[in-house]
Amino acid sequence: MIGEGKGMVGLSFFGGVNEIGGNKILLQDGDTKLLFDFGQSFTFGEGFYTGWLGPRPVNGLGDYFAFGLLPRIRGLYSEKMLVSTDLAYAEPEVKAVFLSHAHFDHVGHIQFLDPQISLCVGVGAKLLMESMEETSGFCSYGEHECRKFRTGDKIKIDGVEVEPVHVDHSIPAAYGFIVHTSGGAVVYSGDLRMHGPRADLTEDFVEKARECEPVALICEGTRMVEKEKRKNYSEEQVMALSNEVVSSSSDRIVFAMRYSRDLDRFRSFYKVAKKNGRGIVVSPKTAYLLCKLLNDEHLDLPDPTKDEDIMVYFKRKKSGHFDDKDYYIWERQFMNKMVTHEFVHRNQGRLIMDLDFYQLTELIDIKPKKGSHFIHSMSEPFSEEDIEDQVMHNWLDHFGMHFHQLHASGHLNRDQLVGLLDNIKAKKVFPVHTEHQELFRDCSRNVKMLNYGKEYVV
Ligand SMILES: [Zn+2]
């Protein structure tokens, strides 16, 4: 077994190999095993599970192992989750799991981990995860002993010291890691970008990574592609172009569809709304998330319970008459900020409204004027046959709305990745979270081409 002699450090990859997302990276230094991220692949279960046909929670890891959807690693999973499998429970061998950020493709499977294994997570990322659990009926991350960190902290596990360093990404509280092992520094990028509002955070990370002269760099490569087909802007451009749409829309409403936890994007639309004297209408879920994140003073987000420009949209549910008991308890705290379809209909020229795919039905009640605007502030579809994309366009056409594609990615583009590799100058590079490992070879000499589950000596 690699990693058993002094100075021998091994890395194995059980996800994020030839795919975007699903990172699961095992680092072994002597007897110390640490895991970095434990996310769900975007292609998870493809071919066997689709829509509502998914693994049965009652069968724990049984339905996952049946199709090889999670790695069979000893001393990692909880006893309860292993009951219906042929992998015997063993006391934890992995000492800690470090989470780079709260995106599902990095944290999605942590409910299976042995609760004795400590979870190391950023202060803000923990709040994001709690908010998900508290407002979504199907999200549960399980019980864990949690160690929360911020940039500047150093977490010592046996002889290994892990240094989290903030990066800019499309979700708050994202980190890269510098792992000081007996064989030298191993750097893991997490997910990161340079064209967001906090490029300075990513710069800090790159600077620190370079200074420690790493023996290995595990680097994401989401946008490491031959030629980028999809349109991408910087966050600043998204804001400027959205402002153009809003300022020229006179008495028409502007809808915005964005990733629910992209708070940089929320902030962009919030600023555009303010600049144009409009209010911003959000869902109770977004209001809840904003409240939750007030607990992290570094994030500088508005308080939806106090901010007069933020309104909370309540859909008709159950009785259809907006009775308290129609709504979840966590939703009720926003009822004094409630607006309904009637209010939105009457005030179309004064509002920007968040509208996600599953809220499109609200358009029937809101009755937007012909010529209203819809900003799709998410990635363009990955395939031309994307059914949801077609359905969305049918809705927009039906209501005579103008479509705008305005999005800033959460990831470095190819040139920026090349720049990062040049700058950090790691002895070895391990490309993860990419469909094009081979393109890393064009910009760095010592690139390891990864195979799933294989152990590499650093
Ligand atoms: Zn991410």
Side-chain angles (χ1 to χ4, degrees):
M1 191 85 190
I2 292 165
E4 281 174 0
K6 196 168 163 35
M8 293 282 273
V9 176
L11 288 174
S12 319
F13 301 84
F14 297 96
V17 178
N18 294 321
E19 61 173 341
I20 291 170
N23 289 16
K24 299 174 199 71
I25 304 160
L26 185 67
L27 179 148
Q28 180 162 6
D29 184 3
D31 290 336
T32 308
K33 288 183 187 171
L34 303 177
L35 195 66
F36 291 86
D37 288 339
F38 204 61
Q40 180 172 307
S41 297
F42 286 113
T43 54
F44 174 78
E46 211 172 56
F48 295 105
Y49 297 126
T50 181
W52 292 103
L53 177 66
R56 299 161 297 171
V58 68
N59 205 34
L61 284 159
D63 287 14
Y64 289 74
F65 286 178
F67 301 112
L69 298 175
L70 277 174
R72 299 164 61 90
I73 299 176
R74 245 177 75 91
L76 178 64
Y77 298 114
S78 76
E79 196 166 4
K80 191 175 127 208
M81 292 297 184
L82 286 169
V83 168
S84 53
T85 73
D86 57 358
L87 182 67
Y89 173 75
E91 282 297 310
E93 290 180 14
V94 172
K95 290 279 169 67
V97 179
F98 287 82
L99 302 177
S100 62
H101 61 285
H103 275 151
F104 209 62
D105 60 322
H106 292 255
V107 304
H109 290 312
I110 60 171
Q111 74 271 27
F112 296 114
L113 301 174
D114 193 316
Q116 295 180 74
I117 301 174
S118 43
L119 209 61
C120 302
V121 57
V123 174
K126 181 74 171 62
L127 293 170
L128 280 151
M129 288 164 69
E130 284 170 8
S131 180
M132 271 293 277
E133 285 186 302
E134 287 155 8
T135 61
S136 150
F138 48 83
C139 177
S140 169
Y141 291 122
E143 294 296 316
H144 303 279
E145 189 227 319
C146 238
R147 294 175 70 170
K148 289 186 265 186
F149 59 68
R150 282 195 184 282
T151 296
D153 293 345
K154 288 178 180 159
I155 300 139
K156 196 141 189 177
I157 314 268
D158 299 341
V160 184
E161 191 176 72
V162 182
E163 207 184 330
V165 185
H166 51 213
V167 293
D168 191 22
H169 184 40
S170 47
I171 189 168
Y175 292 84
F177 295 105
I178 299 173
V179 190
H180 301 279
T181 72
S182 62
V186 175
V187 172
Y188 169 42
S189 68
D191 286 353
L192 73 187
R193 64 175 171 186
M194 290 296 282
H195 55 273
R198 296 302 307 270
D200 59 313
L201 304 184
T202 302
E203 279 161 13
D204 284 350
F205 168 75
V206 173
E207 179 70 20
K208 281 211 156 71
R210 188 174 58 83
E211 277 169 9
C212 69
E213 298 178 2
V215 289
L217 167 63
I218 304 162
C219 187
E220 74 120 320
T222 312
R223 293 172 70 193
M224 185 60 100
V225 287
E226 202 73 69
K227 195 170 163 31
E228 199 135 10
K229 291 192 192 85
R230 284 172 292 151
K231 226 186 279 169
N232 254 306
Y233 297 103
S234 68
E235 192 62 42
E236 215 169 303
Q237 288 170 319
V238 169
M239 191 154 55
L241 293 166
S242 303
N243 187 57
E244 277 177 29
V245 173
V246 176
S247 61
S248 62
S249 60
S250 60
D251 59 344
R252 303 291 200 275
I253 189 166
V254 178
F255 293 103
M257 190 179 278
R258 60 176 178 87
Y259 296 107
S260 60
R261 292 180 296 160
D262 186 342
L263 279 317
D264 289 332
R265 192 60 41 79
F266 166 78
R267 213 186 274 107
S268 296
F269 288 126
Y270 173 78
K271 285 183 185 164
V272 170
K274 269 201 179 295
K275 204 167 168 180
N276 288 278
R278 291 190 179 218
I280 187 157
V281 181
V282 301
S283 66
K285 235 180 216 183
T286 293
Y288 189 90
L289 178 59
L290 288 170
C291 278
K292 190 89 189 176
L293 293 176
L294 292 174
N295 294 305
D296 187 344
E297 69 278 14
H298 292 238
L299 295 179
D300 181 32
L301 287 160
D303 179 347
T305 61
K306 296 198 179 114
D307 191 309
E308 288 184 353
D309 297 319
I310 300 179
M311 288 151 242
V312 183
Y313 185 81
F314 279 73
K315 311 197 268 192
R316 283 184 295 146
K317 283 192 191 174
K318 296 180 191 165
S319 75
H321 301 298
F322 304 102
D323 291 343
D324 287 22
K325 58 180 184 311
D326 293 345
Y327 300 94
Y328 295 114
I329 291 167
W330 64 263
E331 289 179 292
R332 294 180 201 165
Q333 61 184 297
F334 304 109
M335 291 190 95
N336 60 340
K337 298 294 300 266
M338 181 203 289
V339 295
T340 66
H341 59 91
E342 281 167 356
F343 175 90
V344 175
H345 176 73
R346 284 198 312 270
N347 294 280
Q348 297 190 41
R350 297 197 194 126
L351 302 172
I352 294 179
M353 179 168 168
D354 266 1
L355 191 74
D356 78 29
F357 183 76
Y358 295 100
Q359 311 290 341
L360 284 170
T361 41
E362 295 304 302
L363 293 173
I364 296 168
D365 296 345
I366 292 170
K367 301 182 180 63
K369 286 181 192 154
K370 224 174 167 15
S372 295
H373 295 269
F374 180 90
I375 300 175
H376 187 252
S377 205
M378 308 171 84
S379 292
E380 288 180 272
F382 289 80
S383 111
E384 278 173 24
E385 281 111 56
D386 189 302
I387 301 285
E388 285 193 3
D389 186 63
Q390 288 171 18
V391 168
M392 180 186 76
H393 279 285
N394 291 342
W395 278 81
L396 304 184
D397 292 347
H398 178 86
F399 287 98
M401 291 162 74
H402 297 297
F403 174 83
H404 309 270
Q405 172 66 33
L406 299 176
H407 181 54
S409 158
H411 305 273
L412 297 176
N413 66 28
R414 185 175 178 170
D415 289 345
Q416 292 164 330
L417 279 166
V418 172
L420 176 130
L421 296 171
D422 270 356
N423 210 334
I424 295 182
K425 291 192 176 44
K427 290 208 177 71
K428 288 179 187 163
V429 175
F430 297 84
V432 290
H433 206 284
T434 181
E435 289 173 338
H436 297 284
Q437 292 193 52
E438 75 286 354
L439 295 178
F440 277 75
R441 288 215 149 142
D442 298 344
C443 45
S444 183
R445 259 179 300 139
N446 221 340
V447 178
K448 294 281 159 201
M449 301 300 281
L450 303 185
N451 286 313
Y452 178 92
K454 190 179 161 191
E455 196 173 30
Y456 298 85
V457 188
V458 165

